Amino acid sequence: MNTLTHAHPGARRARLRLPASLGIGAYAFLLPTLLLVGLFTVLPIGYALFYAFHKVDILSGQASYIGLRNVGYLLEDDKFWAAAGNTLRYVLIVVPLQTALAMFLACLLQGRLRFKRIFITLLFLPTLTSSAAMTMIFMWLFNSNGLVVRALAEHAGLHINFLGDPAWALGVVMLMNVFSTVPGYMVVFLAGLQDIPKSLYEAATLDGAGRFARHWAISVPQLTPITCYVMTMGLIGCFQVFDQAFILSGGDGGPENATLTFTLLIYHFAFKHYNTMGLACALALVLTLIIFVSTLIMNRIVKPDGVNR
Amino acid sequence: MPRLSAMPAARLTLYAFLAAYSLLTLAPFCWALLTSLKTTREIAEGSALLPLAPSLEAYRQVMQGAFTTWLWNSLSVALAVTALNVCFNTMAGYALARMRFRGRGLVFQGLMLLVMVPGQVTMVPAFMIVARLGLVDTPWSVVLTSAVSIVYVFMMRQFFINFPAEIEEAAMLDGYGPFARFFRIVLPMAAPALATQSIFVFMGVWNDFMKPLLFISSPDQYLLTQGLNAVAKQYAKGSSWNLIMAGSIVSVLPILALYITLNRYFIRLNDQSGGLK
């Protein structure tokens, strides 16, 4: 319990003399949090675990135990595999892309730079915008009448129906996510770059290392813990993508399941079909497991503590 | 790095790239803004980039409908959620950092664990609980389910751990009880942490799409993001993109205003705990 008293030795003495009634005081401070977390997080998790192994009848509220059969149904469902494929592709493309771009921009913005504040302020804009508004704007950009489509048609002679073509729809969602998450991660990288000792760069410069050499030999390895953090957050975020896919496809994951993600499928099982509450909960648990395992794997690959600091 | 200024070509490329990326960032917003100033017919004809006769007609039309109701709904829900979060998260963080009580380790570890569970797991059962409480289709469904956020409990705990203990000791010697110490001494000094927390909670609720989608079904109870989606569904076919873009821009404005006034808080929190999306 060193966290409590690590600040000052004097504090420890004082704390030990505090009256015993403080235990109740502490729970008074925690009560609202514990109550709300209990009601809307712990209890639902319990229910989810229960329903995942049951068939739930919505009207009667009756649940009958069916063991792992929910998972069996999932594995037989084409939609599950469509969602799995989409989500996997999404993660594999978006996570590296947003991490690399965020790091690249942060490195550009590092150091003394004129208009730095203005650049950061401008670049941060997409992170502030709600996914709903952002999706509207992107739908308009990639609409058949939209700027991107028209520009491609006029200058390259390409006529692509981005939103209606299964080959492209998910790409628009990916682009949107990269666009809106990069600035946030960029700021995280910027903060990480500040912590790298300047002496490292000075020494490298004296050794005759150019800008790129310094970047690869110092910035990138020193940033590994931050990179790992950004990739983990990106991974979790990508596995949970919902808003953009929902709005873009009008809620159904189309065209031809091209934008059907795990979360969208959970939503369908829970609220669109009858008596598939149990499937929704089972899928949510499967998703949790997938997120957990991939986070572990990624942390193995990008070792956060592997750098010689 | 003075050496860099000796390389004008590299500097120039750097500025050019940053300017280009900034333009790329701004372009969608600018185009949305320009579209919102056009007429529906102009959009259908696929005319030039700039509106021929810019007018605020789309804004007037959007604000006439249910949009104002949704704005108010979102504003009141976001304010309520922010107030509750600041209050509850801060109290819990303070207790976890500064108070010694039975079960503290358990509470802390438990919360740590819960933060890792993705929202999808709780989504369906939480809906059932909200329904059983009779809160579906009321703003309370969103307010109560968002009233605490464990991430900020941790943030406040971290803040209070680093808060100098002497100040509280002095207050204790002056005869302040735990509640008086918390509300009259600690809270005022925590103002910057409270500000960052409020901004991000407010932004989170304001921009949230999934919760209102699950819990709220009648159009007069919609929150803004949900309403925006409804507007889009209604108007996209008639290619009334000027209305949709006007709605989008109006929905972004409050956060934008907040960002411009409190810019430093936005960037600072990201320094500490990373992005939140």
Side-chain angles (χ1 to χ4, degrees):
Chain A
M1 300 287 133
N2 56 354
T3 45
L4 181 75
T5 50
H6 91 292
H8 295 277
R12 174 177 299 158
R13 219 170 345 101
R15 203 117 298 141
L16 288 177
R17 279 195 274 109
L18 289 182
S21 64
L22 253 190
I24 300 167
Y27 277 105
F29 272 68
L30 281 165
L31 187 68
T33 299
L34 292 183
L35 215 64
L36 288 164
V37 167
L39 190 58
F40 296 118
T41 309
V42 178
L43 194 60
I45 292 174
Y47 267 120
L49 284 170
F50 177 79
Y51 284 139
F53 300 99
H54 287 76
K55 182 174 169 56
V56 189
D57 187 73
I58 278 239
L59 292 177
S60 66
Q62 288 266 306
S64 48
Y65 181 78
I66 57 166
L68 280 172
R69 246 177 295 165
N70 275 330
V71 180
Y73 291 140
L74 282 179
L75 296 180
E76 283 168 19
D77 193 335
D78 292 342
K79 292 212 163 191
F80 171 82
W81 292 108
N86 291 336
T87 312
L88 189 71
R89 255 195 304 158
Y90 195 85
V91 167
L92 287 180
I93 293 174
V94 172
V95 174
L97 207 61
Q98 67 189 11
T99 311
L101 196 55
M103 191 200 279
F104 180 63
L105 282 171
C107 289
L108 289 187
L109 282 166
Q110 180 202 15
R112 294 214 289 140
L113 203 65
R114 216 177 275 227
F115 314 120
K116 183 173 174 174
R117 193 85 216 172
I118 297 177
F119 279 131
I120 296 179
T121 307
L122 284 182
L123 293 183
F124 206 63
L125 217 54
T127 295
L128 303 170
T129 312
S130 70
S131 49
M134 193 58 95
T135 312
M136 300 305 152
I137 294 175
F138 266 71
M139 279 171 78
W140 176 215
L141 276 173
F142 287 91
N143 189 267
S144 55
N145 220 348
L147 192 65
V148 176
V149 176
R150 263 166 43 198
L152 280 177
E154 273 169 35
H155 301 294
L158 290 170
H159 294 272
I160 303 171
N161 179 7
F162 282 99
L163 304 181
D165 186 342
W168 289 97
L170 191 66
V172 176
V173 182
M174 288 176 180
L175 195 68
M176 208 167 3
N177 195 342
V178 171
F179 185 70
S180 60
T181 49
V182 159
Y185 293 136
M186 175 190 80
V187 175
V188 179
F189 275 121
L190 267 173
L193 283 169
Q194 315 243 299
D195 293 338
I196 301 177
K198 295 278 169 289
S199 56
L200 287 178
Y201 290 105
E202 282 157 17
T205 312
L206 286 179
D207 287 344
R211 207 188 153 107
F212 285 99
R214 283 197 305 256
H215 175 75
W216 285 113
I218 301 172
S219 303
V220 173
Q222 289 283 322
L223 278 176
T224 312
I226 308 276
T227 311
C228 188
Y229 167 81
V230 167
M231 288 185 82
T232 308
M233 297 310 284
L235 194 81
I236 295 173
C238 284
F239 269 119
Q240 301 188 13
V241 61
F242 176 81
D243 299 6
Q244 296 97 327
F246 182 96
I247 298 173
L248 193 112
S249 67
D252 65 1
E256 293 169 34
N257 294 337
T259 58
L260 189 67
T261 63
F262 274 134
T263 313
L264 200 46
L265 191 57
I266 295 174
Y267 177 84
H268 284 181
F269 281 141
F271 302 109
K272 289 276 180 257
H273 309 304
Y274 281 109
N275 296 340
T276 47
M277 251 342 168
L279 273 182
C281 289
L283 181 54
L285 290 185
V286 169
L287 176 61
T288 307
L289 206 67
I290 293 175
I291 291 179
F292 192 66
V293 170
S294 18
T295 311
L296 274 183
I297 293 174
M298 212 209 57
N299 277 278
R300 273 288 160 81
I301 298 170
V302 189
K303 283 201 186 77
D305 313 315
V307 231
N308 188 13
R309 297 211 94 192
Chain B
M1 280 176 233
R3 205 160 264 264
L4 286 176
S5 55
M7 298 188 286
R11 285 256 110 172
L12 222 60
T13 330
L14 175 66
Y15 281 115
F17 185 86
L18 284 174
Y21 194 88
S22 304
L23 276 181
L24 197 70
T25 299
L26 281 181
F29 295 99
C30 289
W31 204 53
L33 191 67
L34 288 175
T35 304
S36 71
L37 300 175
K38 291 178 180 175
T39 61
T40 311
R41 183 195 295 177
E42 211 180 317
I43 291 168
E45 285 167 357
S47 61
L49 210 59
L50 294 173
L52 292 174
S55 85
L56 292 172
E57 177 61 23
Y59 289 89
R60 202 184 60 83
Q61 224 172 315
V62 156
M63 297 302 279
Q64 257 179 359
F67 209 78
T68 18
T69 317
W70 301 332
L71 264 174
W72 278 116
N73 291 349
S74 265
L75 193 68
S76 45
V77 165
L79 286 177
V81 168
T82 309
L84 291 177
N85 263 283
V86 168
C87 185
F88 296 161
N89 298 341
T90 310
M91 280 162 61
Y94 180 76
L96 287 172
R98 282 303 171 90
M99 291 174 168
R100 175 166 285 208
F101 58 92
R102 205 178 283 264
R104 193 183 65 152
L106 192 74
V107 170
F108 184 68
Q109 301 293 341
L111 289 176
M112 278 283 251
L113 211 67
L114 289 178
V115 128
M116 288 191 270
V117 179
Q120 285 78 11
V121 173
T122 51
M123 170 170 119
V124 180
F127 172 81
M128 296 168 80
I129 292 168
V130 167
R132 199 153 301 173
L133 292 173
L135 297 175
V136 166
D137 215 16
T138 71
W140 291 107
S141 57
V142 177
V143 171
L144 286 179
T145 49
S146 315
V148 161
S149 119
I150 303 177
V151 176
Y152 294 109
V153 172
F154 289 153
M155 183 187 118
M156 291 318 290
R157 174 182 173 270
Q158 220 50 43
F159 173 83
F160 288 125
I161 279 180
N162 296 327
F163 185 79
E166 293 97 337
I167 296 172
E168 275 191 84
E169 276 182 79
M172 199 156 66
L173 291 178
D174 286 347
Y176 281 90
F179 284 93
R181 276 208 311 273
F182 177 70
F183 285 108
R184 298 179 55 183
I185 310 286
V186 180
L187 269 195
M189 295 189 76
L194 298 184
T196 26
Q197 193 192 156
S198 345
I199 289 166
F200 278 87
V201 170
F202 184 90
M203 194 171 92
V205 186
W206 187 268
N207 289 345
D208 192 8
F209 178 72
M210 204 201 280
K211 260 191 194 146
L213 179 76
L214 296 186
F215 295 144
I216 292 172
S217 53
S218 51
D220 62 326
Q221 297 288 338
Y222 276 1
L223 298 193
L224 195 58
T225 48
Q226 202 183 359
L228 202 57
N229 186 37
V231 165
K233 269 196 170 164
Q234 186 186 347
Y235 290 118
K237 289 221 168 57
S239 91
S240 299
W241 284 96
N242 53 343
L243 297 181
I244 302 171
M245 289 303 114
S248 304
I249 295 220
V250 170
S251 81
V252 176
L253 283 181
I255 300 290
L256 200 62
L258 211 61
Y259 179 55
I260 290 167
T261 20
L262 303 171
N263 190 311
R264 65 204 165 98
Y265 287 110
F266 278 87
I267 308 292
R268 197 193 296 155
L269 184 86
N270 275 286
D271 284 350
Q272 287 168 358
S273 73
L276 292 159
K277 281 206 162 174

